[in-house]
């Protein structure tokens, strides 16, 4: 039995044109109305108690309706208590209504008129008089001026760019003071010194293992990111430091307890520098930076694989950057090498098919002259670039290996000609020396 009177529902139904309702329907609607009202009242009482009040107001009911995703009532926002009047239209059927406030027209007519709003006007004021700024409401206060002094300005505003240009002796006062416990400060100092300790492999391995598994390093993430960027920008000639920096970055990325999505855009530039930097390591040893570039490419590929879903523009931007440095004839061969292996790591087989293979014939003209220069330092670099190109192209054979055959003897000459037209004579000659007909056919049909 419902507390709500079904006759009220029948009256509302008749007012909207529904002549008769089944008794079961009326009983069901009565129960539902009772439940909805009790739900609204319970939520309203919660707002009343949280407001430290003992009287339920219309504002509490409006907030309860909003929480329950019901359109709130309009017109009952008055802070004055509502007075309800009772009118009887028959025996046992009283109707309650809100009594309207009676307005005395004589008082309303004799009441003073409100003030006329001011017209829109323009005023002029001095920003400065003889170099001194007057203290008037129109000018910024002294506190605003002090806050502006804390913002870094000039060519040294970005410390990493300033370090590359040699103007890194700039001190910037931070706007927010970040507090770290003494334990975390000590851990950060010892971990950074251990990672770059050249005398103990065991010490380095222990530090990287701790960073890779420790779950309490959340507060140190921005400090590690800043430390990595500074190490790369200040030690472009030191292969050991750059390699250890990549190892540190890899350890942070391998830590499953750290949320690094907001810091990916800050971690990628140091890795890209180690991949496609112009002058890395000693110029006396041309191939000294190539193992570093291989490590950077592997790390870049893992970053793309892990964070491509959260950052949809990450992979296209990296592929565009690597392609630009691969095809730029003004860049050194080491940079071209980094662009090739970077494209392969970032985009996989599809990047090799779409971006590398169509440009092989054009690019081989850049390395033909260094390859023919016997005994020159660039010959070894050009050979490494050519090896990287062929290694990237071999992924196309792995992708379609099950669908290719060696071809018949009569087709060999025709395939050789098509291969040379596809990838150029230099790369075609190297591929044919491998005696792998399936690889040749994969390059022709890709």
């Amino acid at each position: 039995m419902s507390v709500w009177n079904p006759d009220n529902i029948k009256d509302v139904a008749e007012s909207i044109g529904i002549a008769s309702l089944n008794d079961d329907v009326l009983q069901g609607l009565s129960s539902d109305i009772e439940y909805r009202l009790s739900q609204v009242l319970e939520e309203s009482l919660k707002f009343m108690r949280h407001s430290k009040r003992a009287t339920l107001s219309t504002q509490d009911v409006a907030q309860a309706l909003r929480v329950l995703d019901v359109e709130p009532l309009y017109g009952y926002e008055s802070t004055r208590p509502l007075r309800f009047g009772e009118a009887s239209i028959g025996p046992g059927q009283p109707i309650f209504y809100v009594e309207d406030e009676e307005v005395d027209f004589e008082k309303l007519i004799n009441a003073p008129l409100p003030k006329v709003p001011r017209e829109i006007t323009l005023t002029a004021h001095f920003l400065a008089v003889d170099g001194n700024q007057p203290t008037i409401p129109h000018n910024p206060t002294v506190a605003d001026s002090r806050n502006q002094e804390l913002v870094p300005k000039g060519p040294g505003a970005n410390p990493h760019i300033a370090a590359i240009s040699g103007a890194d002796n700039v001190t910037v006062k931070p706007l927010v003071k970040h507090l770290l416990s003494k334990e975390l400060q000590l851990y950060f100092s010892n971990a950074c010194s251990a990672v770059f300790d050249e005398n103990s492999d065991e010490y380095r391995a222990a530090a990287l293992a701790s960073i890779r598994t420790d779950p309490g390093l959340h507060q140190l993430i921005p400090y590690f990111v800043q430390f990595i960027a500074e190490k790369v920008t200040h030690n472009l000639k030191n292969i050991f430091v750059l390699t250890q920096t990549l190892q540190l970055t890899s350890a942070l990325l391998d830590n499953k307890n750290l949320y690094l999505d907001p810091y990916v855009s800050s971690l990628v530039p140091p890795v890209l520098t180690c991949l496609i930097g112009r002058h890395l390591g000693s110029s006396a040893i041309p191939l000294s930076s190539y193992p570093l570039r291989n490590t950077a490419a592997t790390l870049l590929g893992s970053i793309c694989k892990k964070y491509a879903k959260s950052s949809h523009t990450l992979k296209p931007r990296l592929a565009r950057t690597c392609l630009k440095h691969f095809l730029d004839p003004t860049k050194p061969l080491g940079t071209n090498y980094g662009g090739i292996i970077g494209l392969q790591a970032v985009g996989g087989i599809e990047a090799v098919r779409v971006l590398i293979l169509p440009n092989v014939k054009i690019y081989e003209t850049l390395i033909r002259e260094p390859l023919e220069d016997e005994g020159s330092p660039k010959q070894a670099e050009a050979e490494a670039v050519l090896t990287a190109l062929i290694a990237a192209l071999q992924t196309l054979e792995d992708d379609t290996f099950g669908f290719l055959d060696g071809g018949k003897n009569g087709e060999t000459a025709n395939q050789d000609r098509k291969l040379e037209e596809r990838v150029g004579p230099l790369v075609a000659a190297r591929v044919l020396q491998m005696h792998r007909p399936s690889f040749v056919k994969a390059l022709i049909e890709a």
Side-chain angles (χ1 to χ4, degrees):
M1 182 66 183
S2 175
V3 178
W4 190 263
N5 189 358
D7 293 337
N8 294 336
I9 302 176
K10 186 180 295 185
D11 294 339
V12 174
E14 291 176 354
S15 66
I16 60 176
I18 301 176
S20 61
L21 282 177
N22 193 354
D23 292 339
D24 295 337
V25 175
L26 288 175
Q27 190 64 33
L29 288 175
S30 300
S31 301
D32 186 70
I33 290 174
E34 181 182 349
Y35 168 73
R36 301 297 177 185
L37 285 176
S38 62
Q39 190 179 20
V40 172
L41 287 175
E42 287 178 2
E43 294 294 333
S44 304
L45 290 173
K46 289 180 183 178
F47 282 101
M48 182 192 72
R49 295 191 191 100
H50 284 293
S51 300
K52 307 296 183 182
R53 287 185 283 101
T55 304
L56 189 67
S57 66
T58 56
Q59 187 67 28
D60 297 330
V61 178
Q63 295 291 347
L65 292 174
R66 184 173 299 175
V67 168
L68 296 174
D69 198 18
V70 179
E71 185 178 0
L73 300 177
Y74 300 99
Y76 292 95
E77 295 296 329
S78 175
T79 56
R80 294 177 298 174
L82 299 178
R83 293 182 301 175
F84 293 92
E86 181 179 350
S88 178
I89 61 174
Q93 293 186 355
I95 293 180
F96 295 92
Y97 63 95
V98 179
E99 292 184 356
D100 295 329
E101 183 182 359
E102 295 182 359
V103 178
D104 190 353
F105 282 102
E106 186 175 353
K107 291 182 179 180
L108 185 63
I109 294 173
N110 296 329
L113 296 175
K115 293 182 179 180
V116 179
R118 295 181 179 180
E119 296 182 359
I120 299 175
T121 57
L122 298 176
T123 58
H125 69 279
F126 287 99
L127 289 175
V129 179
D130 294 334
N132 296 322
Q133 187 179 72
T135 55
I136 57 177
H138 307 84
N139 290 332
T141 62
V142 179
D144 296 335
S145 302
R146 289 178 179 174
N147 291 335
Q148 289 295 324
E149 293 176 359
L150 298 177
V151 180
K153 306 177 182 66
N158 190 324
H160 309 311
I161 298 178
I164 296 176
S165 61
D168 55 338
N169 295 323
V170 179
T171 57
V172 179
K173 187 176 181 180
L175 296 178
V176 180
K177 188 176 182 181
H178 192 186
L179 298 178
L180 283 178
S181 63
K182 292 184 178 180
E183 292 79 6
L184 283 177
Q185 294 179 23
L186 185 61
Y187 178 90
F188 179 74
S189 176
N190 291 339
C192 292
S193 60
V195 170
F196 296 93
D197 187 3
E198 300 185 26
N199 301 321
S200 176
D201 295 341
E202 184 179 358
Y203 200 22
R204 293 198 302 270
L208 292 174
S210 175
I211 296 172
R212 190 174 285 110
T213 56
D214 199 319
L217 303 180
H218 296 279
Q219 288 186 322
L220 291 178
I221 293 176
Y223 295 93
F224 275 121
V225 172
Q226 179 79 7
F227 181 74
I228 289 170
E230 290 179 355
K231 278 295 181 181
V232 171
T233 53
H234 289 79
N235 299 275
L236 293 177
K237 298 296 183 181
N238 193 329
I239 295 296
F240 173 78
V241 173
L242 295 178
T243 303
Q244 291 305 116
T245 303
L246 294 180
Q247 295 291 337
L248 175 59
T249 306
S250 178
L252 286 174
L253 294 171
D254 291 341
N255 194 329
K256 298 180 180 179
N257 303 295
L258 302 180
Y259 181 68
L260 295 176
D261 291 56
Y263 302 95
V264 172
S265 58
S266 300
L267 287 172
V268 167
V271 180
L272 266 181
T273 302
C274 295
L275 176 67
I276 55 178
R278 291 179 63 92
H279 305 292
L280 301 176
S282 175
S283 57
I285 308 175
L287 298 180
S288 61
S289 66
Y290 282 66
L292 174 70
R293 298 180 192 273
N294 291 331
T295 305
T298 304
L299 184 57
L300 201 64
S302 64
I303 291 175
C304 284
K305 184 177 180 180
K306 189 173 183 180
Y307 299 102
K309 293 183 179 180
S310 59
S311 179
H312 300 291
T313 61
L314 177 64
K315 185 178 289 187
R317 285 191 289 115
L318 290 177
R320 193 181 304 114
T321 302
C322 292
L323 179 64
K324 175 183 175 182
H325 288 78
F326 163 44
L327 298 177
D328 193 346
T330 62
K331 302 292 184 183
L333 292 177
T335 299
N336 299 150
Y337 176 86
I340 295 170
I341 60 176
L343 275 175
Q344 182 183 357
V346 170
I349 297 175
E350 192 63 26
V352 175
R353 180 182 293 110
V354 177
L355 300 177
I356 295 181
L357 181 59
N359 297 301
V360 170
K361 187 176 181 180
I362 301 173
Y363 179 76
E364 77 161 17
T365 58
L366 301 178
I367 59 175
R368 184 180 295 121
E369 183 177 350
L371 282 173
E372 295 173 353
D373 191 2
E374 295 288 342
S376 66
K378 288 189 175 182
Q379 184 185 15
E381 292 190 73
E383 188 67 35
V385 173
L386 183 58
T387 303
L389 266 178
I390 295 177
L393 295 177
Q394 285 179 1
T395 59
L396 299 176
E397 179 191 13
D398 299 336
D399 186 39
T400 57
F401 179 79
F403 304 93
L404 301 174
D405 54 21
K408 299 179 180 179
N409 294 331
E411 300 177 356
T412 304
N414 189 26
Q415 286 184 349
D416 294 350
R417 180 178 56 79
K418 289 183 178 180
L419 178 64
E420 185 173 340
E421 293 176 356
R422 180 73 165 166
V423 298
L426 182 60
V427 177
R430 292 296 182 95
V431 172
L432 292 175
Q433 289 176 4
M434 301 170 68
H435 302 290
R436 288 162 60 180
S438 59
F439 185 23
V440 174
K441 196 169 183 180
L443 294 178
I444 295 174
E445 297 182 358

